Amino acid sequence: EVRAVCRVWPNPSSGFMHIDLPAGQNAPLLEVFDVSGRCVRSQLLSEQYIADLSGLPNGWYSLLVRTKDGVYCGKAALLR
């Protein structure tokens, strides 16, 4: 169940993005999906909630962040 939309910035980005989440989320899991719905990256977010999308090709991505409180979603564009 998606709890809320999270803000992702800078957007578009060249690789590293900040994800705004409520304070106190311990080791949230980020899943990154391409436009075909395929999971192309899965990683634990740092304490600063920074996602590393470097190495992925330019394009649009859907982000799901799974926390103890629920699931947050967002969109991201990679452009180099």
Side-chain angles (χ1 to χ4, degrees):
E1 161 191 347
V2 173
R3 185 177 178 96
V5 173
C6 58
R7 181 174 166 255
V8 180
W9 56 276
N11 202 358
S13 171
S14 60
F16 288 91
M17 302 178 134
H18 295 266
I19 299 176
D20 286 346
L21 294 172
Q25 303 299 322
N26 290 334
L29 175 66
L30 169 68
E31 295 175 318
V32 182
F33 297 88
D34 64 14
V35 293
S36 67
R38 184 174 50 109
C39 184
V40 294
R41 174 129 338 144
S42 180
Q43 68 186 66
L44 291 177
L45 290 175
S46 68
E47 289 180 15
Q48 294 81 25
Y49 307 141
I50 297 174
D52 177 7
L53 303 184
S54 62
L56 294 175
N58 288 347
W60 282 97
Y61 294 90
S62 295
L63 309 177
L64 282 182
V65 182
R66 298 182 188 280
T67 73
K68 61 182 166 95
D69 295 330
V71 178
Y72 298 85
C73 66
K75 295 271 187 192
L78 281 181
L79 181 63
R80 291 178 195 77

